[in-house]
Amino acid sequence: MRLFINQGIIVTASQRADSSYSYNTVTVVFLTEATKLLSSIVIFLKDNEVSTLISNMKQHLHVMGLYMVPALLYCLYNNLAFVNLAAFDPTTYFLLLQLRVVLTGIIFQVVFKKQLSRYQWVSLIILTLGCVIKQLSSIKKEEVSPTHTVSILTTLLSNVVSLHIFLMLVQVFCSCLAGVYNEKLLKDTGAEVHIMVQNVFMYIDSIICNALVLLCRGDILSAFTTTSLSQVWQLSVIAIILNNAAVGIVTSFFLRSLNSILKTFASALELMFTAVLSWIIFGIPIDWWTAAAIALVIYATYMYAQNPVVNRGRLDVEKGSSSQQEEEMLVISEIKTSL
């Protein structure tokens, strides 16, 4: 959460007065993915040999193929973000984006065949309401009125069958499915593969997908010109790359040890903490909408904490087998002692 909060603040600090960027964002995205890949390799080689890495990659090459799915989903999500932000105003865009909280719960149930309890669903719905209210706070004070709020809802309803709404739903679905599918690979399908090797697979696939998209758009050369690379050589931009790389590594540990549902709560709490820190650092005021959202998110988090989702996939099976073997050895040892 701290890394995600840092990212929002660092990116805001790197903007010009008109909210534009003095650097090529495409170049930063590529360098971030390359940094994630390099970091995963270095962490793995800290305790293993290069030959071991190569051997593991060859042995589990099929897992690399499976990681192409979340890599493609994340790539599609990132590109649709630009399309949808051009079609919707920021408030409408972020309101629709909050559908991912509930959709993550639905996809989680389907993929892992785990039914969420009524208590857990209520906490997810309250969390969604908190996130929606937080996005309503982005409306300028002079525009905050019942009429303006109704106009936003009217726009959503009138465009419910439009192409842009469909693309927005596709973007939300990509985000949710990519997160849950990634968790599935970490805990189930690729449970026997070292987590850093899985990260290597993920980031190689991500680089390939993004390169193909840029190649199709004809932007791949402009992303790596001398000018673009020189613009990156700023302290704030380097901080963005390093922090975002750390986010990627930590998220893999998060999903392997915890789950996608808890990640939605962490994301909501990040929104609230970012709002508070932005008020402290940048002087961005906190209005009543944000205060109400913070209260709802905190309550939803407390409610969920009373009955959290536990999902360890095949890791639970492996742990159970290990525990059973230890108990059997203990019984054998006691029998020998008694004899």
Side-chain angles (χ1 to χ4, degrees):
M1 284 176 59
R2 182 170 183 176
L3 288 170
F4 271 111
I5 293 167
N6 286 346
Q7 192 69 6
I9 293 174
I10 295 171
V11 170
T12 302
S14 70
Q15 294 175 343
R16 294 194 184 105
D18 59 353
S19 298
S20 63
Y21 300 97
S22 61
Y23 51 89
N24 190 322
T25 55
V26 176
T27 307
V28 171
V29 170
F30 257 86
L31 291 178
T32 299
E33 293 301 315
T35 304
K36 291 178 184 178
L37 176 59
L38 181 61
S39 299
S40 299
I41 293 173
V42 170
I43 293 172
F44 182 83
L45 294 180
K46 182 171 68 69
D47 300 315
N48 301 276
E49 299 293 332
V50 175
S51 58
T52 305
L53 174 62
I54 297 174
S55 174
N56 282 351
M57 292 181 67
K58 287 182 178 179
Q59 182 182 355
H60 303 290
L61 202 58
H62 67 286
V63 178
M64 182 177 177
L66 294 174
Y67 265 104
M68 187 60 75
V69 175
L72 281 170
L73 289 171
Y74 281 129
C75 183
L76 183 58
Y77 172 87
N78 292 330
N79 283 277
L80 281 176
F82 291 101
V83 176
N84 290 327
L85 278 170
F88 297 103
D89 62 274
T91 301
T92 305
Y93 173 80
F94 285 110
L95 278 172
L96 289 169
L97 204 58
Q98 303 318 315
L99 291 171
R100 59 187 174 185
V101 176
V102 173
L103 188 57
T104 296
I106 296 173
I107 295 176
F108 184 88
Q109 287 191 153
V110 174
V111 172
F112 288 103
K113 297 179 175 59
K114 265 183 177 296
Q115 292 297 317
L116 301 184
S117 68
R118 184 179 301 178
Y119 206 71
Q120 291 165 343
W121 272 116
V122 171
S123 64
L124 280 175
I125 292 171
I126 294 175
L127 185 71
T128 304
L129 290 175
C131 292
V132 167
I133 291 175
K134 172 64 184 74
Q135 297 309 327
L136 288 174
S137 70
S138 63
I139 304 173
K140 294 181 180 179
K141 287 184 177 181
E142 61 271 16
E143 296 177 337
V144 175
S145 65
T147 303
H148 186 69
T149 304
V150 169
S151 69
I152 292 175
L153 297 176
T154 303
T155 303
L156 290 176
L157 292 175
S158 63
N159 293 312
V160 72
V161 292
S162 70
L163 175 62
H164 293 305
I165 288 291
F166 173 74
L167 292 177
M168 189 70 219
L169 292 176
V170 171
Q171 182 187 353
V172 172
F173 180 77
C174 287
S175 173
C176 299
L177 182 58
V180 177
Y181 190 88
N182 195 7
E183 181 184 348
K184 177 76 171 178
L185 291 177
L186 287 166
K187 293 179 176 177
D188 197 342
T189 309
E192 72 281 0
V193 184
H194 192 286
I195 189 170
M196 285 302 126
V197 176
Q198 293 194 60
N199 281 339
V200 169
F201 290 152
M202 177 67 174
Y203 302 136
I204 288 176
D205 289 344
S206 295
I207 290 173
I208 292 173
C209 290
N210 283 283
L212 288 175
V213 170
L214 288 177
L215 190 62
C216 293
R217 291 169 52 184
D219 295 336
I220 193 165
L221 294 178
S222 63
F224 298 99
T225 61
T226 305
T227 303
S228 296
L229 292 174
S230 63
Q231 290 171 345
V232 172
W233 195 248
Q234 305 175 41
L235 183 60
S236 59
V237 180
I238 293 174
I240 291 172
I241 293 173
L242 294 178
N243 190 82
N244 204 25
V247 166
I249 302 296
V250 170
T251 299
S252 63
F253 284 105
F254 188 103
L255 290 175
R256 188 177 176 92
S257 302
L258 302 171
N259 55 68
S260 305
I261 302 295
L262 191 58
K263 189 175 183 295
T264 63
F265 280 86
S267 298
L269 288 171
E270 288 156 16
L271 280 174
M272 306 311 149
F273 282 120
T274 301
V276 174
L277 289 174
S278 295
W279 169 58
I280 296 172
I281 298 173
F282 302 111
I284 300 174
I286 295 178
D287 53 21
W288 288 106
W289 290 93
T290 303
I294 290 174
L296 281 174
V297 169
I298 290 175
Y299 178 72
T301 305
Y302 171 78
M303 189 177 181
Y304 177 81
Q306 306 306 307
N307 184 26
V309 174
V310 178
N311 176 44
R312 295 280 294 165
R314 280 172 54 195
L315 299 179
D316 273 342
V317 176
E318 293 174 3
K319 184 178 179 181
S321 300
S322 177
S323 299
Q324 184 177 1
Q325 291 175 359
E326 290 176 1
E327 289 175 0
E328 290 175 353
M329 292 298 294
L330 181 61
V331 171
I332 293 172
S333 177
E334 289 176 350
I335 292 174
K336 287 182 177 180
T337 302
S338 61
L339 290 175

